[in-house]
Amino acid sequence: MAARKPIETAPKDGSKVTVYWKDSDGVMNESIAQYRSLDRLKAAGGDWDENDTGWWAYTDGHTQKKIEPISWRPASGDDDGE
């Protein structure tokens, strides 16, 4: 497993990475996430603004949430096999 790196160094090109973030209860979570720029969000359709730019992760099989990760590492190669 790759070492964790500061979130400021994570790629913001839309690639998926593993991130670490705390939820509203202070519990540390590990998720596959993707940084979404405003241009990328608007290209997908919908009504987006600058407040929507950032890191997004699935909280379950159907729900996405904007999160504030504190660190990251490359996603494992197994996640790319779909």
Side-chain angles (χ1 to χ4, degrees):
M1 180 186 321
R4 294 184 194 183
K5 302 174 186 178
I7 195 61
E8 297 80 18
T9 64
K12 293 185 175 179
D13 61 0
S15 58
K16 294 179 181 178
V17 297
T18 300
V19 297
Y20 301 90
W21 57 285
K22 288 185 180 180
D23 63 20
S24 60
D25 295 325
V27 176
M28 184 62 75
N29 292 277
E30 177 180 333
S31 303
I32 300 295
Q34 181 181 46
Y35 186 86
R36 297 187 182 149
S37 66
L38 184 56
D39 290 339
R40 184 176 298 272
L41 289 165
K42 286 184 175 182
D47 186 23
W48 302 98
D49 65 34
E50 298 83 25
N51 294 323
D52 299 313
T53 298
W55 289 96
W56 288 81
Y58 278 96
T59 57
D60 63 36
H62 306 284
T63 308
Q64 294 184 60
K65 178 180 180 175
K66 184 177 172 192
I67 60 172
E68 297 292 332
I70 56 175
S71 61
W72 76 283
R73 66 176 174 81
S76 68
D78 296 339
D79 295 331
D80 297 330
E82 296 180 15

